[in-house]
Amino acid sequence: MSNIPNDLLYAKSHEWIKLDGDTFLIGITDHAQCELGDLVFAEVAAVGKVLKAGQVIGSIESVKTASDIYSPVDGEVIESNSTLGDKPEQINEDPYASWFIRIRPAQPGIPTNLLDAAGYKAMIGE
Amino acid sequence: MRQSSFQTPDPDTRLILEKGGTHFANRLIAPLDTPTIDFQTWFGLANLRAEKPAIPDLAEPEVVRHYTVLSQKNFGVDTGPYPLGSCTMKYNPKVHETLAALPGFANVHPLQPDATAQGNLALMADLEKHLCAICGVDRFTFQPSAGAHGEWTGLLMIKAYHDSRGEGYRNVMLVPDSAHGTNPASAAMVGYEIRQIASGPDGMVDLNALEAALDERCAGLMLTNPNTLGLFEKNIGRIAALVHHAGGQLYYDGANINAILLQTRPGDMGFDVVHLNLHKSFSTPHGGGGPGSGPVGVKAHLAPFLPAPDLMKNPTGSYSLEYERPLSVGRVRSFNGSFLVLVRAYAYILANGAMGLREVSQASVANANYLLAHLRKAYDLPFDQPCLHEFVLSGSRQKELGCSTMDIAKRLIDYGFHPPTVYFPLIVKEAMMIEPTETETQEGLDGFVEAMLAIAEEVKNTPELLHNAPHPNGHTVPISRPDELRAAKDPVLRV
Amino acid sequence: MLASVGIDNPDALFAPIPAEFRWPTGDADPYTEPAMSELEVTLRLQQLASRNINTTTHACFLGAGAYDHYIPAAIDALVSRQEFLTAYTPYQPEISQGTLQAIFEFQSLICRLTGLEISNSSMYDGASAAAEAMLMTIRQTGRTKILLIGAIHPHTSDVVHTYLEAQNFVVDVLEATAISQSAGTTSFVKSPLVTQFAPPDHLDLTPYAGILLQRPDFFGRVGDIEAWTKAAHSAGALAVLSCDPISLALLKTPGEMGFDIAVGDAQPLGNPLAFGGPYIGFLATRESLLRKMPGRIVGETIDHEGRRCFVLTIQAREQHIRREKATSNICTSQALVALRATIYLSLQGQSGFVDVAEQSAAKAVYLQQHLLATGHFAAIDDTPFFREFAVRVISQSSAYRDVLQRLNQFLLTRGFLGGLDLGQPGTTHSILDLPGVWLLAVTEKRTKAEMDALVVACSDFFEQTHARQLTNPIPKGGGGDQ
């Protein structure tokens, strides 16, 4: 049973999204880190990068697999968490504190394709 | 990068670069017999390296012992059964090595005038004739250096073909979800978008999914047949018709051709392009990861696009390498391909002849079915059909008892076997892909069955034997499982 | 055996294959090659091999990317051990420590030769390694153009074009321009013979992901090219050097010159000429580019009991995991050839390796000077060269486009494989068209006696040709001109 906080939104590709003023923080879920196993590498998009929804904002690797992390919205990266690169294991230890980027969405409002905690929980079959 | 943590290494694992002290110069070449030159003046100080490269001076016996001891830490085809699925680890006849070392092959410069290398060119021409007959295609190129290189070369030809017909908008390559990873990777390297085709419940290409994926952007379909489950795509006629009707080309990944040698031919099935892995089906040794050779065969309509240079027979009967080929996809590597690998494959084909190659596929399929018949009760068989040269078991039942497929694989090492391919194809959970090849002995097959059955019992009774496997024995198994997390997280990639 | 699994007829094994595709099909030519004994196969192949001139029958002065260096006997003895020869890729590290440790040693040696931080376990050859390196520069910078500079081996250049253009990336070639003065007129000509050791003024490198140079260049020349790395870096581009491994015993390393990636072919390190393969590409780079690097990488770690050991690592870049997002499609590479290179360097040691390089350099200088002294050849320029050099025919016979072809044929009768005739585009090698230019390589294997005899043979050839010309004048327009 993985940890799925109620105050976050979720993308089907296993990112969590935290609304923080007019910006979003984005990371990967506890379920995702658990499936990937011990992470050995993390890379995050640079500040200033302008993205479309569905574009890659980072990538992570475990010993036997690799995965990209996608932006749920159009927007601009205004902060990126460079400490992840040095200590990718913190994503395994505390996935909800280990945000990848802070993005300023191009459009106000909450994207409609995101799930709430219950929806995500149902999606991963827990 | 972290420095190697072994400042005073265990003598058993000391690297050649950590040895030394003898400062012995082997007298390999004669002293300079022309006037010496002052390199600082000749090249200029700015062009010289600051320090000589750090390589120890070791006496030949020390070097020979080092690499002999290292070799003993390897498991080869001659050591024991090597049922590594999709890799076709068959026995490599010793005479191949003798032949490849003939000075008339090994010591020929690739840029010698064609007239001075007619033996090599004739060998290539005759090998091409044989491979065309075996595959049912019209031409071959020997340029590609390995299977993946062949895939990429074949796809380049497909792309050039579409471009030549004004259909450059075809930029989607279809790849089944059971395909080798090289297929999508090679397609990406010719700039194609990859569309994955789901397998049906029978493990075959789902015809509905295929039809749905076909449109005017389709450049082709890459298929392994028999597929990576060891099953023959029985709808291949229909698949070929659908892909061709949509304007696509059909690509044959030859990784599994050992199963069907002279029982059926890719060209007859409708494939337009075929690559072969000579280091699998045609018995050239794999060398611990190469060199291989990945010749690509094509039907006549693709021949104008073959890479340069191409082998031509002149009216006088001599052979030459032709560089002026306006429609060619270009050059895919330097010189003339992995020639010494071709020598070995040629010797293999001559020794077997047509009947011998038919017996190769027969025996490889018979051996696989023999293993399948004896293992199917103890392990899950997700796709229960007669297999060809290999089959895929699932360790799901054992996984539920706490032993993973990785544990089973490692335990096989304790029993003296090379493990099968594991966790592939991706569509089978806890997959074990088993390919005994035609050269495995009856004793080897029976021993493998016994070991697999014994391990299935150990899973129930003594799982710790699997969890801790393999058990180092001081010689053939020098280590237990390595810490791969440490290797990847904090990489040490040199000394 | 078949009976024990319930199959009575071997054909039944192939029941899954639809009858319409069972071979032989009605209209297919039957393929009825008979089987041959080991003895018959041996005789057939010996007969084919005997039709090739080779470096044991003729002293070889051909180079151009493939070099006739001495191969110590212990290499063949060691790599023919079946445990190395017949093993698969080391996916099971517990029973593959031999291959894995050898590759780790190879990676370490390549780093020491190139002066760079990390190396992969090998590529197919030097040309494909260069192409993969240029793709790395594109992944790293996000730019879509690359620039080729100076006299790069035409095969390398061709392969880079093929790899890059397949993905619609743009390959620009910097064509150097020289001032040509002849017969009192001055003209500007573009020629691969012109050196481009430093960036021309006002060349903008900012559109480029990476630049590729070769040193020694295709003509064996060694120039001071460091200004290029500075220019590339200040434009945000990466600098890639294609280099020869033997030359790195002496020459400033790619790392010392500031290159980000070094590639090359390690054939000269203990591998036979083999009519072109198998050879082995190497690729070394900075640690910061680790995850952009193609190919397998071996790393050091420990087993459960703390024993030092080696494994394939950083595999998430590779095709079996990343599939279409992998850094390359490469799977099987050249492990056994890498082992040969590793054993070669171990047997030579530092002193032997440096001796091979110094002898090759010194002997090439000796031969060039003696060829020039015949009066039949001129140097292409005065740049220092390593192991290889080009000369231009200046004898009267140079009026004939096929003069070098005929010279090489003459030399064969005297027991020499002559240099490469660069004036035969589309026939023997590549796209170069430099009539009358002859490229010769001299390794440590060539003796003073062989070189002196070669020089004599060249003089004999030109004297005989000259004598024939006097008695048999060639009609006007019958020969090509430069």
Side-chain angles (χ1 to χ4, degrees):
Chain A
M1 215 48 160
S2 65
N3 178 13
I4 306 173
N6 281 324
D7 59 340
L8 301 176
L9 292 171
Y10 299 89
K12 288 182 180 133
S13 46
H14 305 288
E15 292 86 7
W16 57 259
I17 297 95
K18 181 178 187 180
L19 309 186
D20 189 14
D22 60 348
T23 65
F24 293 169
L25 282 176
I26 302 168
I28 66 162
T29 64
D30 186 38
H31 172 75
Q33 71 78 20
C34 195
E35 289 287 305
L36 289 162
D38 291 325
L39 296 175
V40 299
F41 177 73
E43 191 175 42
V44 292
V47 172
K49 188 161 183 183
V50 178
L51 296 157
K52 292 244 176 275
Q55 283 190 324
V56 174
I57 57 159
S59 62
I60 41 181
E61 283 178 24
S62 62
V63 172
K64 295 287 182 195
T65 186
S67 185
D68 287 330
I69 299 152
Y70 303 98
S71 175
V73 293
D74 298 355
E76 181 186 347
V77 179
I78 55 171
E79 210 177 336
S80 86
N81 185 358
S82 57
T83 69
L84 294 184
D86 301 328
K87 287 194 68 182
E89 60 271 25
Q90 59 185 298
I91 303 166
N92 294 117
E93 287 154 10
D94 192 353
Y96 296 106
S98 305
W99 56 277
F100 281 65
I101 61 160
R102 183 188 294 277
I103 192 166
R104 176 171 290 123
Q107 310 290 333
I110 298 166
T112 53
N113 57 346
L114 296 181
L115 306 167
D116 62 10
Y120 182 68
K121 192 171 179 177
M123 191 196 95
I124 61 174
E126 286 189 355
Chain B
M1 182 166 62
R2 189 162 52 87
Q3 287 300 302
S4 174
S5 52
F6 299 87
Q7 297 308 324
T8 49
D10 169 2
D12 284 350
T13 61
R14 204 183 292 160
L15 302 170
I16 196 81
L17 292 161
E18 292 162 345
K19 299 194 171 174
T22 52
H23 297 296
F24 188 94
N26 296 305
R27 203 177 304 125
L28 295 168
I29 60 170
L32 183 66
D33 60 356
T34 58
T36 188
I37 59 175
D38 175 15
F39 293 102
Q40 288 196 11
T41 312
W42 173 247
F43 288 116
L45 199 53
N47 281 323
L48 296 180
R49 63 185 291 159
E51 287 172 18
K52 292 178 181 177
I55 306 168
D57 282 326
L58 303 172
E60 179 172 321
E62 197 166 5
V63 174
V64 168
R65 186 166 292 163
H66 176 82
Y67 288 104
T68 301
V69 169
L70 270 194
S71 77
Q72 290 165 336
K73 298 180 180 182
N74 257 16
F75 188 105
V77 167
D78 298 357
T79 310
Y82 216 122
L84 197 60
S86 249
C87 300
T88 314
M89 293 299 282
K90 62 173 73 177
Y91 176 70
N92 310 126
K94 301 301 173 193
V95 68
H96 294 176
E97 301 311 305
T98 311
L99 296 172
L102 289 173
F105 294 135
N107 298 340
V108 178
H109 193 285
L111 297 174
Q112 278 180 216
D114 291 340
T116 68
Q118 286 297 305
N120 285 352
L121 297 177
L123 186 154
M124 290 164 83
D126 201 35
L127 178 59
E128 178 176 0
K129 205 179 74 193
H130 285 285
L131 293 182
C132 285
I134 291 165
C135 295
V137 296
D138 300 303
R139 288 298 318 276
F140 257 92
T141 175
F142 294 121
Q143 290 287 321
S145 306
H149 202 208
E151 290 174 16
W152 174 75
T153 304
L155 294 174
L156 279 177
M157 284 190 262
I158 289 176
K159 189 178 187 183
Y161 169 76
H162 289 313
D163 285 349
S164 75
R165 294 158 52 92
E167 296 182 2
Y169 51 81
R170 294 186 178 273
N171 62 352
V172 173
M173 186 52 61
L174 310 181
V175 178
D177 57 5
S178 61
H180 299 111
T182 48
N183 289 181
S186 299
M189 284 186 73
V190 299
Y192 281 150
E193 187 182 305
I194 285 81
R195 204 172 282 167
Q196 188 162 296
I197 309 295
S199 301
D202 57 355
M204 312 272 182
V205 170
D206 181 335
L207 288 178
N208 292 327
L210 175 63
E211 270 187 277
L214 289 168
D215 58 24
E216 72 291 344
R217 287 177 60 213
C218 170
L221 167 70
M222 299 181 83
L223 203 59
T224 310
N225 196 15
N227 65 23
T228 58
L229 296 165
L231 305 178
F232 193 85
E233 295 278 357
K234 58 182 188 297
N235 299 318
I236 183 60
R238 179 85 185 122
I239 292 170
L242 285 171
V243 171
H244 286 146
H245 186 256
Q249 294 281 291
L250 201 57
Y251 185 95
Y252 185 81
D253 175 338
N256 291 348
I257 203 169
N258 208 50
I260 59 161
L261 282 174
L262 293 181
Q263 306 293 340
T264 177
R265 307 191 304 173
D268 299 341
M269 289 185 247
F271 287 95
D272 304 288
V273 190
V274 179
H275 92 257
L276 300 175
N277 300 71
L278 297 185
H279 48 290
K280 296 181 179 179
S281 330
F282 293 89
S283 189
T284 72
H286 203 282
S293 175
V296 178
V298 292
K299 294 267 181 75
H301 65 282
L302 293 170
F305 309 103
L306 287 166
D310 191 24
L311 185 59
M312 306 292 284
K313 187 165 190 172
N314 303 315
T316 57
S318 67
Y319 296 96
S320 58
L321 290 167
E322 175 67 38
Y323 294 81
E324 296 287 313
R325 308 193 69 257
L327 294 176
S328 165
V329 297
R331 190 174 258 291
V332 299
R333 60 155 287 167
S334 57
F335 306 115
N336 313 321
S338 289
F339 179 74
L340 294 186
V341 181
L342 305 183
V343 172
R344 295 171 171 97
Y346 182 61
Y348 179 74
I349 290 170
L350 290 186
N352 277 287
M355 282 313 293
L357 292 175
R358 276 175 77 85
E359 286 162 12
V360 163
S361 47
Q362 260 171 21
S364 77
V365 175
N367 283 353
N369 278 287
Y370 181 81
L371 290 185
L372 175 57
H374 287 92
L375 296 177
R376 56 181 302 146
K377 285 208 181 70
Y379 295 89
D380 290 346
L381 178 64
F383 296 97
D384 187 1
Q385 297 167 54
C387 69
L388 288 184
H389 68 303
E390 68 187 4
F391 57 97
V392 178
L393 297 175
S394 167
S396 293
R397 205 187 311 167
Q398 288 73 24
K399 174 83 172 175
E400 277 175 27
L401 295 172
C403 291
S404 67
T405 280
M406 187 59 78
D407 295 330
I408 295 167
K410 298 302 184 192
R411 184 63 179 149
L412 272 169
I413 293 174
D414 285 336
Y415 280 90
F417 296 92
H418 194 285
T421 295
V422 290
Y423 298 102
F424 186 83
L426 306 177
I427 57 173
V428 173
K429 286 212 163 79
E430 300 293 313
M432 285 179 274
M433 188 194 222
I434 298 169
E435 179 183 11
T437 83
E438 74 281 4
T439 58
E440 192 44 68
T441 60
Q442 184 67 48
E443 190 182 8
L445 296 172
D446 289 336
F448 183 73
V449 167
E450 274 173 41
M452 285 292 283
L453 297 181
I455 291 169
E457 287 306 307
E458 288 172 356
V459 170
K460 297 172 199 159
N461 306 319
T462 48
E464 66 281 1
L465 284 175
L466 281 83
H467 297 150
N468 298 327
H471 297 78
N473 60 17
H475 52 288
T476 55
V477 184
I479 58 164
S480 61
R481 284 187 221 188
D483 184 345
E484 298 196 33
L485 180 61
R486 173 186 164 119
K489 202 167 189 169
D490 209 0
V492 178
L493 307 177
R494 64 171 163 88
V495 289
Chain C
M1 168 194 276
L2 290 179
S4 78
V5 295
I7 294 170
D8 45 8
N9 169 7
D11 265 357
L13 293 167
F14 297 97
I17 302 178
E20 60 183 305
F21 299 124
R22 284 301 303 276
W23 191 86
T25 48
D27 57 346
D29 289 333
Y31 171 66
T32 54
E33 186 75 14
M36 290 169 82
S37 66
E38 181 171 308
L39 176 58
E40 289 168 301
V41 172
T42 300
L43 292 172
R44 165 86 73 96
L45 270 76
Q46 279 174 341
Q47 195 268 331
L48 285 168
S50 71
R51 291 169 60 193
N52 301 316
I53 281 176
N54 65 74
T55 62
T56 40
T57 60
H58 287 62
C60 178
F61 291 92
L62 268 172
Y67 300 95
D68 180 32
H69 288 283
Y70 179 65
I71 300 173
I75 297 179
D76 282 319
L78 288 167
V79 301
S80 62
R81 291 188 65 89
Q82 71 82 20
E83 299 89 336
F84 284 135
L85 184 67
T86 73
Y88 200 72
T89 299
Y91 288 136
Q92 298 291 339
E94 299 86 351
I95 45 174
S96 310
Q97 286 299 300
T99 295
L100 287 162
Q101 182 174 328
I103 292 174
F104 188 81
E105 293 175 351
F106 171 80
Q107 291 174 178
S108 301
L109 284 161
I110 292 298
C111 291
R112 291 182 186 197
L113 294 193
T114 58
L116 282 160
E117 293 162 345
I118 54 173
S119 157
N120 74 8
S121 71
S122 70
M123 311 298 289
Y124 304 132
D125 67 351
S128 66
E132 292 270 21
M134 299 322 288
L135 290 173
M136 275 175 74
T137 69
I138 283 172
R139 283 195 289 279
Q140 175 69 10
T141 62
R143 298 177 185 175
T144 57
K145 293 171 76 168
I146 61 144
L147 181 65
L148 308 186
I149 297 161
I152 292 170
H153 193 295
H155 291 183
T156 307
S157 163
D158 288 353
V159 173
V160 168
H161 273 91
T162 308
Y163 269 77
L164 277 281
E165 287 165 3
Q167 296 182 58
N168 295 323
F169 299 127
V170 177
V171 180
D172 284 345
V173 177
L174 183 69
E175 289 199 72
T177 306
I179 299 168
S180 163
Q181 286 178 314
S182 64
T185 61
T186 301
S187 59
F188 294 91
V189 292
K190 285 186 172 171
S191 164
L193 285 174
V194 178
T195 54
Q196 189 69 69
F197 295 142
D201 292 341
H202 312 302
L203 176 68
D204 179 15
L205 291 178
T206 55
Y208 296 107
I211 61 171
L212 175 67
L213 293 97
Q214 179 176 326
R215 173 173 130 143
D217 75 6
F218 181 63
F219 303 101
R221 297 174 301 191
V222 177
D224 181 357
I225 51 175
E226 253 180 280
W228 276 110
T229 61
K230 294 186 184 80
H233 293 155
S234 61
L238 300 181
V240 182
L241 185 67
S242 172
C243 49
D244 169 80
I246 301 270
S247 75
L248 294 176
L250 296 178
L251 299 181
K252 188 175 261 189
T253 66
E256 286 172 319
M257 289 187 281
F259 282 91
D260 303 284
I261 309 174
V263 294
D265 203 307
Q267 176 273 329
L269 305 178
N271 292 288
L273 291 165
F275 201 44
Y279 288 177
I280 170 181
F282 61 86
L283 191 156
T285 186
R286 303 180 184 288
E287 196 185 349
S288 57
L289 294 173
L290 171 60
R291 282 183 163 77
K292 302 289 190 291
M293 187 157 66
R296 298 203 169 98
I297 304 172
V298 171
E300 180 189 274
T301 187
I302 52 174
D303 76 356
H304 280 184
E305 287 84 34
R307 297 181 192 89
R308 181 193 209 182
C309 59
F310 304 91
V311 290
L312 293 174
T313 192
I314 324 288
Q315 293 187 76
R317 301 162 297 110
E318 294 187 64
Q319 48 77 26
H320 60 285
I321 291 177
R322 274 274 165 106
R323 299 176 80 85
E324 66 266 29
K325 288 180 182 169
T327 53
S328 169
N329 65 340
I330 193 167
C331 181
T332 290
S333 51
Q334 307 293 110
L336 197 75
V337 196
L339 175 65
R340 292 186 70 99
T342 307
I343 298 173
Y344 175 83
L345 289 168
S346 306
L347 285 165
Q348 291 288 8
Q350 182 188 72
S351 56
F353 183 49
V354 170
D355 189 27
V356 166
E358 288 185 348
Q359 287 209 27
S360 300
K363 288 179 172 182
V365 171
Y366 177 84
L367 180 62
Q368 191 236 24
Q369 286 172 351
H370 285 75
L371 284 174
L372 299 186
T374 64
H376 298 295
F377 301 97
I380 56 166
D381 61 27
D382 58 2
T383 312
F385 50 85
F386 175 80
R387 190 188 49 198
E388 190 156 28
F389 59 91
V391 289
R392 186 192 297 277
V393 179
I394 53 170
S395 119
Q396 288 177 350
S397 325
S398 65
Y400 303 97
R401 193 179 176 98
D402 65 349
V403 60
L404 285 172
Q405 199 182 349
R406 289 189 293 121
L407 171 58
N408 279 333
Q409 276 165 9
F410 177 79
L411 291 175
L412 284 171
T413 67
R414 296 272 181 109
F416 299 108
L417 267 169
L420 188 63
D421 171 7
L422 297 180
Q424 292 193 63
T427 53
T428 57
H429 51 104
S430 68
I431 53 168
L432 284 178
D433 185 11
L434 298 167
V437 178
W438 204 30
L439 184 64
L440 296 108
V442 188
T443 68
E444 82 288 357
K445 274 177 78 176
R446 299 286 74 82
T447 61
K448 179 173 178 296
E450 285 169 344
M451 292 188 280
D452 291 345
L454 179 82
V455 171
V456 168
C458 288
S459 293
D460 288 352
F461 169 79
F462 286 112
E463 273 157 36
Q464 286 177 16
T465 309
H466 187 55
R468 260 206 310 277
Q469 279 166 12
L470 292 178
T471 52
N472 277 319
I474 302 290
K476 268 258 184 234
D481 200 356
Q482 294 176 37

